[in-house]
Amino acid sequence: MIAEAGLAALWLAAALAALQLVLGWMGVSSQRTDLLAAVRPVAVVQAVLAGISFVTLIWLFVTVDLSVALVAANNASTKPLLYKFAGTWGNHEGSMLMWVTILAVAGGAVALFERRLNERTLIATLSAQAAIGLGFYAFLLFASNPFARLNPAPAEGQGLNPLLQDPGLAFHPPTLYLGYVGLSVAFSFAVGALVTRDVGAAFARAMRPWVLGAWILLTLGITAGSYWAYYELGWGGWWFWDPVENASLMPWLAATALLHSVTVLATREGLRAWTVMLAVVAFSMSMVGTFLVRSGILTSVHAFAVDPRRGTFILALLAIYIGGALALFGFRVGTVREGSRFDAVSREGSLVINNLLLSAILGIVLVGTLYPLVAEAVTGEKLSVGPPYFNSAAGPLALILVAIMAAGPIMRWRRDDLKATLTRLAGPMLLSALVLLAVVLLAPGIGILPLLGLVAAAGVGVASIAPLWGRNLRRTPLYIWGMVVAHLGIAVSMAGMAAESAFTRETLVAGRIGEEHRVGPYSVRLDDVQPIAGPNYTAIEGTVVARRGNGAPFTLHPQTRNFPSPQTETNEAAITTLLDGQLYVVVGRSDDEGRWQLRLWWKPFVTLIWLGGALVAFGGLLSLIGRVRREMRHAPPRETI
């Protein structure tokens, strides 16, 4: 009965979403206070029911109820408890139920806690959120029922994809989904404000925490996903411009632009129409990502569904939501006043350039991601767009973007002087010049993009802390600290990317036991290979001894694992982290002559990539706390109709 209870809760939540939409629409159009007052409790109850439905699915997975088709297809009694739990969303139906649950809970949170919008705009926002949820409830109930029974139940389940049997799975998808759904709330705020013609500073201040929260979570999700791919897939890379990777990057780019735009609107009453448009675009990218991952048009470890009918359903939802929002924007854009003016040389001007560059990079990623799919649909020919396109097209724009990012925070609002701005940038530019000279002399021939990346990272690193110069640090607002830390994180991450790209050393060998090999500054010797048994797999494990110069040796244990259900072989890299980089070792199969495949990488300063990502997210968190505290201190009483 647990599965039936979960399904019933899902139906009831869907019914309440429909009721929330109808009541909200009638209340906003008629301005009847009784209807407006009814919407918020309905949103809260809907969130509770959706949560109950998701918890029942978790229970079915943890208890391995094989009479449920989804559990039988994605779970097994031999799996460790963590993967039984995380396996709930390690599949198509479960991940979509998580999606709609987070959507409903976010709507309930808006209903409970939002106090800055006037009542009509808030109800219009909740109605838009209900409309989004209704489509996804329909998708689950009519095309992807997670509670469908299986009769007779099998004696054992098929298990979870071994590549997903990693602690990272427990955290990576939820953080991304929370980010996607945060953008859905921003989208609903934009639709609500357009409906009531209430696009202004109050709307921006209400939307900003949601955008900031979504951006933090997307940053964490992308950073964690990059490191998961790096250590789990055994290929030694941290980003491949895979379409599924791009599906998470595109909303992040749009959210970054929106975050800066909404700050201008909230504090300076500018960029009104542009902010609304970015809110629509950001959620559109979330929907595009959902379509790519769930439609079955991609083959990837991340792409759970291989079912074009479901993809068509999601495509229809994307067309309805985004097409509807763009149509509403077109009808109402004339009612959105332009907002305050500013000079080109000003902080607002730098943020506009920042937005344009982010939008251009977003366009490059979108085209590169969709072009092979469109080409295959039209010509039947399979094409691929890989790192050379993305690096050469987006790389130069990214470098210009970080240069603007260095200048923006030290410019004045409204109007500034170009000569004075350049004077303030003298220190960062001097350091960049010194780094350029040092790298050209000490490491010639590393490539133009890594060289410029190192130079830009040095300049941005210094410029990012410039807003603190001359301030009383104890009295500096927390959101200023957040901006400084986030920008510093970008510089740290960029330094890691450039160093990894410029200085990585790779050795691929077929070696016998006892032979020694070189990779970068290390000598590496394969001492032994033995079979071992894990909780639900068997493996061969190598014993690899590494030494740097005359330093102390240390041991690594790379594995090649074999999972019986589903039958899969995976490489588990052995990675040693040192202050100046990581030694990365993978052991493969042996050949007929008794030689073992060894893949060795020395990756200088590669950890800065993820340290920078963590700093960016931490900076966002500081800003979020600072902004929320400030808003709470200055929150006016809610306007009523």
Side-chain angles (χ1 to χ4, degrees):
M1 291 299 291
I2 297 294
E4 285 70 24
L7 185 60
L10 193 61
W11 273 103
L12 288 173
L16 287 181
L19 180 63
Q20 181 179 329
L21 174 61
V22 172
L23 287 176
W25 178 72
M26 293 173 62
V28 170
S29 57
S30 67
Q31 301 194 21
R32 283 178 52 182
T33 54
D34 56 333
L35 295 178
L36 292 173
V39 172
R40 289 201 295 158
V42 171
V44 174
V45 177
Q46 184 214 148
V48 172
L49 287 168
I52 290 173
S53 181
F54 187 60
V55 169
T56 58
L57 188 65
I58 292 175
W59 178 260
L60 293 170
F61 265 83
V62 170
T63 59
V64 198
D65 186 342
L66 298 175
S67 68
V68 176
L70 186 64
V71 178
N74 298 280
N75 203 358
S77 58
T78 55
K79 280 200 312 181
L81 179 62
L82 175 63
Y83 302 136
K84 290 177 183 173
F85 175 75
T88 309
W89 52 84
N91 56 80
H92 170 74
E93 291 84 353
S95 65
M96 294 308 295
L97 181 57
M98 172 187 275
W99 214 103
V100 79
T101 300
I102 296 173
L103 193 73
V105 171
V110 171
L112 281 174
F113 302 117
E114 178 50 51
R115 293 291 183 271
R116 287 156 294 193
L117 291 178
N118 72 60
E119 190 76 3
R120 288 183 69 239
T121 303
L122 173 62
I123 299 306
T125 298
L126 290 175
S127 298
Q129 191 75 359
I132 298 171
L134 197 56
F136 283 96
Y137 283 125
F139 178 66
L140 278 169
L141 293 170
F142 299 122
S144 299
N145 179 10
F147 299 103
R149 288 287 189 182
L150 197 61
N151 190 13
E156 184 52 282
Q158 297 176 27
L160 180 68
N161 183 339
L163 286 175
L164 301 180
Q165 293 185 35
D166 183 86
L169 177 67
F171 307 103
H172 172 51
T175 51
L176 280 182
Y177 293 164
L178 284 165
Y180 289 159
V181 174
L183 293 180
S184 82
V185 177
F187 172 85
S188 296
F189 270 108
V191 171
L194 283 173
V195 168
T196 58
R197 299 179 174 84
D198 189 26
V199 179
F203 147 76
R205 284 195 289 270
M207 185 170 72
R208 182 164 54 186
W210 292 96
V211 177
L212 195 45
W215 182 80
I216 293 167
L217 291 162
L218 283 173
T219 303
L220 285 174
I222 292 170
T223 302
S226 168
Y227 193 64
W228 173 81
Y230 172 77
Y231 74 76
E232 178 63 21
L233 299 184
W235 62 293
W238 52 272
W239 193 265
F240 191 65
W241 295 105
D242 178 270
V244 178
E245 292 175 332
N246 296 346
S248 62
L249 178 62
M250 290 186 290
W252 185 86
L253 290 169
T256 305
L258 174 60
L259 182 60
H260 291 86
S261 176
V262 79
T263 298
V264 175
L265 178 53
T267 58
R268 300 291 160 176
E269 288 276 4
L271 304 179
R272 292 181 174 176
W274 179 245
T275 300
V276 172
M277 174 57 81
L278 279 178
V280 174
V281 169
F283 182 59
S284 302
M285 292 301 103
S286 294
M287 290 291 294
V288 168
T290 305
F291 169 70
L292 289 173
V293 177
R294 299 292 179 266
S295 64
I297 61 175
L298 298 177
T299 301
S300 166
V301 65
H302 307 82
F304 298 130
V306 185
D307 185 347
R309 290 175 302 172
R310 299 179 186 184
T312 304
F313 203 125
I314 296 175
L315 191 60
L317 292 179
L318 193 155
I320 292 169
Y321 295 146
I322 308 308
L326 290 176
L328 179 63
F329 181 80
F331 283 124
R332 292 293 172 84
V333 68
T335 68
V336 180
R337 288 185 291 116
E338 182 183 1
S340 301
R341 293 180 175 275
F342 50 85
D343 284 358
V345 182
S346 63
R347 188 178 294 190
E348 291 97 327
S350 72
L351 290 173
V352 169
I353 298 173
N354 158 302
N355 270 219
L356 294 175
L357 289 168
L358 283 166
S359 301
I361 295 171
L362 172 59
I364 289 169
V365 177
L366 183 64
V367 169
T369 304
L370 297 184
Y371 176 71
L373 306 176
V374 175
E376 184 178 355
V378 174
T379 67
E381 184 180 358
K382 285 187 178 296
L383 300 173
S384 65
V385 176
Y389 160 77
F390 291 105
N391 291 340
S392 59
L397 292 182
L399 288 171
I400 299 172
L401 177 67
V402 296
I404 298 296
M405 188 186 78
I410 61 175
M411 299 177 78
R412 295 190 174 90
W413 292 104
R414 306 286 191 206
R415 180 182 301 171
D416 205 343
D417 180 75
L418 182 59
K419 185 177 178 181
T421 301
L422 292 174
T423 301
R424 290 179 217 126
L425 285 172
M429 289 192 292
L430 177 61
L431 180 63
S432 294
L434 292 174
V435 170
L436 174 64
L437 182 63
V439 174
V440 168
L441 291 176
L442 300 176
I446 65 170
I448 187 68
L449 275 181
L451 172 63
L452 293 178
L454 289 170
V455 170
V460 171
V462 174
S464 63
I465 61 174
L468 298 178
W469 296 346
R471 282 180 176 268
N472 181 335
L473 298 183
R474 295 181 62 185
R475 299 177 68 87
T476 300
L478 201 55
Y479 57 85
I480 299 291
W481 278 105
M483 177 187 69
V484 167
V485 172
H487 285 190
L488 184 62
I490 294 288
V492 170
S493 194
M494 174 171 281
M497 294 175 196
E500 194 272 346
S501 175
F503 305 122
T504 286
R505 296 292 178 266
E506 178 181 3
T507 300
L508 305 178
V509 295
R512 291 185 171 83
I513 301 294
E515 287 184 352
E516 200 162 89
H517 311 281
R518 297 285 308 177
V519 58
Y522 286 89
S523 60
V524 176
R525 186 182 68 241
L526 178 64
D527 270 8
D528 195 13
V529 179
Q530 291 291 333
I532 63 168
N536 60 338
Y537 61 84
T538 59
I540 56 168
E541 181 177 274
T543 299
V544 176
V545 178
R547 182 195 297 268
R548 184 172 188 165
N550 295 322
F554 55 91
T555 304
L556 301 95
H557 293 288
Q559 296 179 357
T560 295
R561 294 179 179 175
N562 280 281
F563 291 81
S565 178
Q567 192 163 18
T568 308
E569 181 177 288
T570 66
N571 290 120
E572 299 294 319
I575 302 172
T576 293
T577 300
L578 302 134
L579 285 177
D580 59 344
Q582 287 188 330
L583 183 63
Y584 187 113
V585 178
V586 175
V587 64
R589 293 199 163 275
S590 62
D591 61 18
D592 295 338
E593 300 178 12
R595 298 178 302 181
W596 294 88
Q597 298 173 6
L598 275 179
R599 286 176 286 170
L600 314 170
W601 283 276
W602 165 241
K603 293 179 171 292
F605 301 106
V606 67
T607 48
L608 293 182
I609 297 172
W610 305 293
L611 174 63
L615 281 175
V616 172
F618 181 61
L621 180 62
L622 292 179
S623 292
L624 179 61
I625 295 171
R627 292 291 184 189
V628 170
R629 286 171 53 185
R630 181 184 172 90
E631 292 294 333
M632 290 176 67
R633 283 199 299 268
H634 298 90
R638 175 184 290 174
E639 297 177 19
T640 57
I641 59 173

